[in-house]
Amino acid sequence: MDDIILRTISRLIIPFIEIYGVFIILHGHVSPGGGFSGGAILGTSLILYTLVFGVEKAQKKFSHKVSDIAESGGILWFILIGLVGIFVTGYFLTNINAGFPIGEPGLLLSAGMIPLLMIGIGIKVASTMITLFHTVIEEAHHGSA
Amino acid sequence: MIEQLPILNLVLLLTTALMIPFTQKISFKTTKLVGFTVLLTVLVSTLFILLHVQSEGAFYYHLGGYPSTIGIEFYVSILSAFFTLFVIALGTLIYVYSTRDIEHDVYAQDYGRYYTLLFILLFSMLGIVYTNDLFNTYVFMEILSITTCSIISIKRSKKNYTAAFRYLMLNEVGSLSYLFGVALIYMVTGYLNIDLAAESIQQVWHLYPANIVIALGFMIIGVSIKAAIFPFHIWLPDAHSTAPSASSALLSSIVVKVYIIIMIKVLLRLIGIDILEALNIPVFLTIIAASGMLIGSIFALGQKDLKRMLGYSSIAQIGYIVLGISLMSSLGLTAALFHIVSHGMMKAALFLSAGAFIFLRNQRAINGFNGLGYQMPISMAVFSIAGLGMIGIPGTSGFISKFNLGVAILDANQWFLLVILIMSGVLNAMYYLPIMINAFLKDNPEKNRVMQFEKLPKVMLVPIVVLGLMIVLVGLFPNSIMSYIEAAVAMLLA
């Protein structure tokens, strides 16, 4: 898909999509959205990149190795935060009682561990979407070759 | 500290699954050893939980410290403690077996993926057994069915893809059907916690009998599709026969049983016997169980492929378990829960020894077993023990479960079910005995009747032998397990 309009427009638009994704991930606890929807938007930006510039270039931006780390890392981060609760209060995934700062309700820095969990979920969802898309494309390439 | 063990078990299994992708640089032997250590740790901790629950009584665990009205809750009763031990014990044996068998079945680049899936599978099964929350059960069910689907398709052949796709589609229908049932229960009671929902159902079911019947119908059908209860079994023979041998053992002996545990929880802990009988549910269960017992066996008779035959035999045996549940008496439930354990061991032994025949001789056809008892004496002996257990010969665990089931049926005064039970036993004999007779009494094509020592790798042989010994030991000393099962039944009926 070698088209100058497509390439220029995508180059312009992808950073904004990514910022919007990060915004939704970080504001999961105060506004609609959260880790899953924000991660999906982040993933979509790289899918758009793959569509316009091809898999080879996209693989350089986001290789299988990175996706392995991101996918396992997202859940491991979640588990790690959950374990804090076990050590402090004796219950897995305890929020405020485990010492996470409650902040001022309604502001960005609030709700204790929820924003931290959302970051983990966002990373996991984004990398899963990209990996799924890349895997489907690679299988199609192998099939035709 | 003991209260933390259930969640730590889950976390340990999940973390292991997630760490496997990072271990590509380390030799695969080390990874397998680490996985084995993890499983042993979980096994020891489930054993501790069982002993603790037996002496101190059941306990609750609240995730995040939220009260059970809004939070997710684990209920570690004798039922869940015992069945997690059962799941992990069989899982560990199958894991040991799979470490060699996998080389035969799966491409080298997929080894890591296979073990990631295996650990997530065990993780979700433990979660299902521990949880006391209807929606949380659904989440674990989804994880379980998606990993099962991938573990079937990991062999990367056309047959596997077809079987896995069929499995995925039917199980998705099952999951959604269960979820719909949960939604209807939530509509009536306002709770997802099983204990709280059960309390309000007891109070209001007179007002909403239709709601409860519809919800229960959706939930039973959803779980039945996943547990391959007749007539929702059509995915099982394909899926179980094409999967790698170790996975077939895992699917047939544990995964299907976990769904039956969900069914027991929904029927007895959520609804309760009085309401079930007032709504006439046991009759329907009896009908599907009895027809499954006969039709599964009849289909198994016609199979030419060993693993497909074992798959159909599972359908018949699940019919036995459902029959025990449908009697709605403490005797029937004891027989059903005992048969979950005993069928788990027997089917695992059968699938693992069938995997051994495939591993060494590439032998899957039922009529190719002539004289195999001389070349593979140990695995054929275990196959025969497990097969005799399926028929119900005294001395095996299968006899004890059939005997208990027979007693429970007589206690309920339903003699026609006893006739079906005996007919199903005869049918079992008709398809298991010829294999044993051919293997031990007939000449093989080379007329070579010299007894050989088994050439199977030791890591594959040990689990098979352990399972064979367990079948005989449980058959001879059933009280070792029976005390736990009776305590669990007393808890369910209280």
Side-chain angles (χ1 to χ4, degrees), chain B residues 184-434:
Chain B
L184 285 171
I185 293 280
Y186 185 71
M187 200 174 116
V188 174
T189 66
Y191 290 117
L192 288 171
N193 185 294
I194 294 183
D195 287 340
L196 295 172
E199 255 175 51
S200 34
I201 285 177
Q202 288 290 346
Q203 289 161 7
V204 299
W205 74 275
H206 292 287
L207 300 175
Y208 306 98
N211 245 358
I212 301 280
V213 168
I214 294 170
L216 204 56
F218 274 113
M219 282 162 108
I220 290 177
I221 286 174
V223 177
S224 302
I225 292 177
K226 287 160 165 288
I229 295 167
F230 178 83
F232 309 107
H233 65 278
I234 44 167
W235 57 269
L236 183 135
D238 283 333
H240 286 198
S241 66
T242 53
S245 307
S247 324
S248 322
L250 204 65
L251 300 184
S252 215
S253 60
I254 323 177
V255 174
V256 163
K257 306 295 166 13
V258 167
Y259 292 122
I260 291 187
I261 302 229
I262 300 179
M263 189 165 173
I264 291 176
K265 272 189 185 175
V266 166
L267 288 179
L268 296 169
R269 295 210 41 229
L270 180 66
I271 309 287
I273 287 186
D274 303 336
I275 303 177
L276 286 177
E277 280 183 343
L279 297 174
N280 237 355
I281 304 282
V283 179
F284 296 106
L285 284 177
T286 312
I287 292 169
I288 56 176
S291 45
M293 277 159 68
L294 286 179
I295 290 173
S297 294
I298 290 169
F299 274 128
L301 269 177
Q303 299 306 314
K304 295 192 179 97
D305 178 302
L306 179 64
K307 279 174 81 177
R308 273 186 85 85
M309 186 199 91
L310 294 178
Y312 276 111
S313 146
S314 282
I315 295 163
Q317 302 288 326
I318 292 161
Y320 287 37
I321 299 172
V322 180
L323 184 67
I325 298 169
S326 74
L327 293 174
M328 295 289 160
S329 62
S330 86
L331 282 171
L333 267 174
T334 315
L337 289 179
F338 189 86
H339 198 56
I340 291 181
V341 178
S342 107
H343 177 247
M345 293 188 303
M346 293 189 294
K347 214 12 97 51
L350 286 168
F351 264 117
L352 292 187
S353 44
F357 308 142
I358 296 170
F359 184 82
L360 274 189
R361 300 276 309 247
N362 219 359
Q363 183 59 266
R364 291 181 70 124
I366 283 179
N367 54 14
F369 274 79
N370 296 356
L372 203 64
Y374 293 93
Q375 280 142 15
M376 305 183 66
I378 300 176
S379 17
M380 200 62 223
V382 173
F383 186 90
S384 309
I385 290 173
L388 291 175
M390 286 288 178
I391 301 166
I393 304 291
T396 58
S397 62
F399 169 71
I400 307 290
S401 45
K402 274 203 179 166
F403 180 74
N404 281 327
L405 196 56
V407 170
I409 289 172
L410 285 181
D411 188 59
N413 257 337
Q414 291 178 310
W415 57 269
F416 63 94
L417 289 176
L418 197 66
V419 174
I420 291 176
L421 183 73
I422 292 168
M423 269 166 70
S424 172
V426 172
L427 287 170
N428 282 346
M430 276 166 73
Y431 56 82
Y432 278 115
L433 278 181

Side-chain angles (χ1 to χ4, degrees), chain A residues 65 68-73 75-76 79 83 86 89-97 113 139, chain B residues 4 7-8 11 14-15 17-22 24-25 60-66 156 161:
Chain A
K65 219 173 194 174
D68 274 354
I69 294 172
E71 272 178 49
S72 292
I75 311 178
L76 285 174
I79 292 176
L83 286 179
I86 284 197
T89 62
Y91 292 110
F92 190 71
L93 270 180
T94 314
N95 192 357
I96 306 294
N97 291 341
M113 68 177 176
E139 299 246 312
Chain B
Q4 306 292 346
I7 190 78
L8 287 178
V11 166
L14 185 60
T15 317
L18 296 171
M19 291 309 279
I20 288 174
F22 296 132
Q24 279 157 0
K25 281 188 191 136
Y60 290 90
Y61 183 85
H62 297 103
L63 274 101
Y66 297 106
R156 291 180 188 251
Y161 286 146

Side-chain angles (χ1 to χ4, degrees), chain B residues 109-120:
Chain B
Q109 79 262 26
D110 287 337
Y111 287 175
R113 289 178 194 159
Y114 182 81
Y115 285 110
T116 306
L117 290 172
L118 193 97
F119 277 103
I120 297 182

Side-chain angles (χ1 to χ4, degrees), chain A residues 122-140:
Chain A
I123 293 172
K124 160 82 186 151
V125 172
S127 82
T128 306
M129 285 199 64
I130 301 159
T131 320
L132 272 179
F133 191 69
H134 284 183
T135 313
V136 169
I137 289 191
E138 277 159 22
E139 299 246 312

